Amino acid sequence: MSDRDNLTMARAILADSLNVDPQAITEDATIETLESWDSLGHMRLVLAIEAQLTRQLTPMEIAELESLRSLQKILASGGPA
Amino acid sequence: MSVLRKRPVHLTTERFLLRNLTANDASERYLAWAADAEVMGPLNVKPTRMAREQLAAYISGFDGINRFLIGIFTRADKLHIGFYMVEVDPVHQVASFNVVIGDKDYWGKKVVLETREALLEHFFEERGIEKIIGQPLARNIPAIFNYRAEGWRLEGVLKAHRKSMTDGRRLDQMQYAMLKSEWRARRGAA
């Protein structure tokens, strides 16, 4: 999957988890800049990523999940080996 | 400033009031939280059905000097919605924070982000604390979000550090921290 595809998927997953319009999520979106990114949305986001990757995220992946770009990076890491 | 003086915590934020709990706060609401797996599970505490007297005795066990049980109440209608447990090591001037939002209507409402700011300010600036830590389980995702969103620093992942109180599995735990200097720098930058 290309970087662009991963970014599109990341934006779709984040928008769905936070219940916002994907167009409202800019490429530099972070926990600090997205008002709708709250603790429950974050939990939905982690579960959605895990469903997509068919594996549990590591503690460090969860800790580093703080922006659209970090979500894109996790998706690029792929599912189970 | 000494950390050993007994002074009650009484803080207000935009939406909430924080104060020491007393035996009189052992309500049916609080008892229901203690028995709710969804509330207590993320803390690795086995849900427990207690009598009101047992809960009152538990609350009374917090001395308000080195161990604090601090209730979160709405300012508008004085509704008890959760609590903080704070333990202080007075020698090393380190405190640890734990928080439970028992009222599920307040989940996802940024209660922790608003109230913990006030507690950080209080313990750093009024009680002589130099470092505050939080140790959420690695799968306590809302808690991890809150530490991250509030600017706490991840100090490490404690692998298999806890035994699950429900099924015996080994659980990873995170350690987040905030130094007084980091708090002041962050506050100054805000």
Side-chain angles (χ1 to χ4, degrees):
Chain A
M1 192 178 281
S2 70
D3 282 355
R4 178 52 57 180
D5 289 342
N6 262 324
L7 184 61
T8 301
M9 181 183 292
R11 181 178 276 121
I13 290 175
L14 184 58
D16 190 50
S17 300
L18 304 184
N19 198 24
V20 297
D21 182 347
Q23 300 306 317
I25 298 176
T26 59
E27 289 196 17
D28 58 356
T30 69
I31 282 176
E32 284 89 4
T33 62
L34 265 180
E35 177 65 23
S36 53
W37 200 332
D38 62 22
S39 58
L40 283 185
H42 198 68
M43 189 161 69
R44 287 194 296 270
L45 177 60
V46 168
L47 296 177
I49 299 166
E50 290 179 340
Q52 178 66 33
L53 297 179
T54 64
R55 67 173 176 86
Q56 229 178 43
L57 297 187
T58 67
M60 286 309 295
E61 284 174 326
I62 293 172
E64 290 168 358
L65 180 58
E66 58 187 24
S67 63
L68 180 65
R69 287 297 183 187
S70 60
L71 169 53
Q72 180 190 14
K73 185 176 163 192
I74 291 169
L75 291 174
S77 71
Chain B
M1 184 175 290
S2 169
V3 295
L4 291 176
R5 290 167 50 208
K6 183 165 185 172
R7 286 176 292 136
V9 173
H10 195 282
L11 305 168
T12 55
T13 68
E14 186 179 344
R15 293 179 293 164
F16 304 105
L17 165 71
L18 302 170
R19 65 161 174 79
N20 296 70
L21 292 177
T22 70
N24 290 334
D25 294 305
S27 63
E28 291 300 324
R29 284 172 64 77
Y30 199 156
L31 288 167
W33 302 339
D36 188 330
E38 208 175 10
V39 173
M40 305 310 290
L43 300 177
N44 195 29
V45 174
K46 198 169 186 175
T48 308
R49 295 205 174 277
M50 282 190 280
R52 190 186 288 249
E53 296 72 23
Q54 288 175 298
L55 180 56
Y58 171 77
I59 294 172
S60 298
F62 287 80
D63 61 14
I65 299 173
N66 292 325
R67 298 183 71 235
F68 298 81
L69 192 61
I70 300 165
I72 307 170
F73 298 82
T74 59
R75 285 181 68 180
D77 50 14
K78 306 293 186 283
L79 186 67
H80 186 195
I81 62 165
F83 57 90
Y84 283 89
M85 284 177 287
V86 177
E87 301 212 354
V88 171
D89 178 338
V91 174
H92 298 288
Q93 295 167 270
V94 173
S96 66
F97 281 12
N98 279 293
V99 61
V100 173
I101 304 301
D103 187 330
K104 295 174 190 175
D105 287 345
Y106 285 86
W107 288 7
K109 302 284 171 58
K110 302 192 175 182
V111 177
V112 175
L113 295 181
E114 181 176 328
T115 55
R116 197 158 53 200
E117 292 278 318
L119 274 184
L120 286 166
E121 173 82 13
H122 179 76
F123 277 87
F124 280 137
E125 304 298 348
E126 302 295 327
R127 295 189 186 261
I129 296 300
E130 293 292 329
K131 177 178 181 177
I132 298 176
I133 63 169
Q135 294 187 312
L137 292 177
R139 294 297 296 180
N140 189 348
I141 293 160
I144 288 166
F145 169 87
N146 285 327
Y147 285 112
R148 172 63 191 82
E150 208 172 32
W152 293 58
R153 178 172 37 77
L154 179 63
E155 292 201 314
V157 179
L158 310 174
K159 299 295 289 182
H161 197 64
R162 294 289 169 197
K163 177 182 171 183
S164 167
M165 291 294 105
T166 52
D167 61 16
R169 284 177 302 130
R170 301 303 303 182
L171 304 173
D172 294 342
Q173 192 169 24
M174 319 291 267
Q175 179 159 312
Y176 285 88
M178 180 89 75
L179 299 177
K180 182 187 281 185
S181 57
E182 293 169 334
W183 164 253
R184 287 179 170 173
R186 185 175 168 277
R187 189 183 53 182

